[in-house]
Amino acid sequence: MINSWVYIESEGSSIEDVSLEIIGRLNELKNDIDLKITGFYLGTKPGDLPRIAISYGVDHFIFLKSDLFSFYDSQTFVNGISDLVRERNPDIMLFGATYQGRDFAGRLAARLKTGLAANAISLNIDKKGLLYTGVPGYGGRFIAEIVNMKARPQISTVRQGIFKKMERDESRSGEIEMVDVELKGFNQKLKLLERKKLDIKDITKSERVVIIGNGAGNNLKPIEEFAKLIGADIGVTRPVADRGLAPRDIQVGSTGVSLNSKIAIIFGSSGSNHFVSGIERCKFVISVDIDKNSNIFNYSDYCVVADMFKLLPFLIKRMGGDL
């Protein structure tokens, strides 16, 4: 039997969608291979997480318990899980490509001296237990298939919004295992003084998204006002996030998030391959750019050749807005 472990990333009593999406994909693969799905979580109290994870398709849930797991600290978590991984020797370990998941997976892979496929957008497992991950390369110009032939476990981070989570079913059954972790001789250097959560919208779930490209410069206000008037959430391209004008959480593209929206309206993006990989699942795309030869038009259902800073005031005024 192939044993695949999934890191159950959680905020409070809820599980992050990307963890559930990975579980959903693994359950699809179970139709063709003999696969056991094990979720693992490090914390102080299990609460309802084991039952929730099982209801979404986990066969086996491992709760690693220690007072040192009261908050995420990469050194503490890697020390807390590495011995159990060496003992159980899972074939595969999958993490969401979140800030925490990327940090945890990378440090754990280094500790275990194994490989890591980062930011995967496809997952397949053959009957021998080999993991095949599709990873965007060279700014999204192609998808590289990564296979770790020798080292174990095979570790990968998976981009959010790619796969579908299963419907929750409380009748599903699974094994819950509690493991007390003693970190003898370990000195936790990081101390949590204050926790502050930013209120940032998860745009992978948004039905309408307005995306701000580099062509907007530093003047985001007209686009933000337009988005507000049509009830859309804001996304940005990588150059906009690079300049610190928006958080990475709403960066669209191969190193950001992938949208599943009904409509995406894009202002001032050149249409780099790195970016368009994040809009390929949108049902309807409208792009506005001053360059009639812009590459973004090759990925759009409607193309508007216009100066956005002349077009937007007109649209905002027609909709009763105010700049």
Side-chain angles (χ1 to χ4, degrees), residues 5-11 16 18-19 22 40 42 72-74 77-78 81 93-110 115-120 155-160 249:
W5 287 19
V6 180
Y7 175 50
I8 306 299
E9 188 171 341
S10 171
E11 181 64 38
E16 294 289 341
V18 66
S19 299
I22 295 170
F40 69 97
L42 296 83
Y72 175 72
D73 167 26
S74 57
F77 273 40
V78 168
I81 189 71
M93 296 187 75
L94 300 173
F95 298 74
T98 61
Y99 292 128
Q100 187 180 128
R102 288 167 175 155
D103 183 45
F104 193 1
R107 290 177 181 270
L108 182 61
L116 169 66
N119 213 35
I155 300 180
S156 178
T157 58
V158 181
R159 196 198 299 180
Q160 184 171 345
D249 306 75

Side-chain angles (χ1 to χ4, degrees), residues 53 65 108 134 139 250 300:
K65 181 182 179 182
L108 182 61
I250 60 171
S300 305

Side-chain angles (χ1 to χ4, degrees), residues 229-250:
L229 288 169
I230 66 170
D233 294 312
I234 292 287
V236 299
T237 60
R238 181 171 179 172
V240 178
D242 284 345
R243 297 202 305 277
L245 298 174
R248 293 285 180 191
D249 306 75
I250 60 171

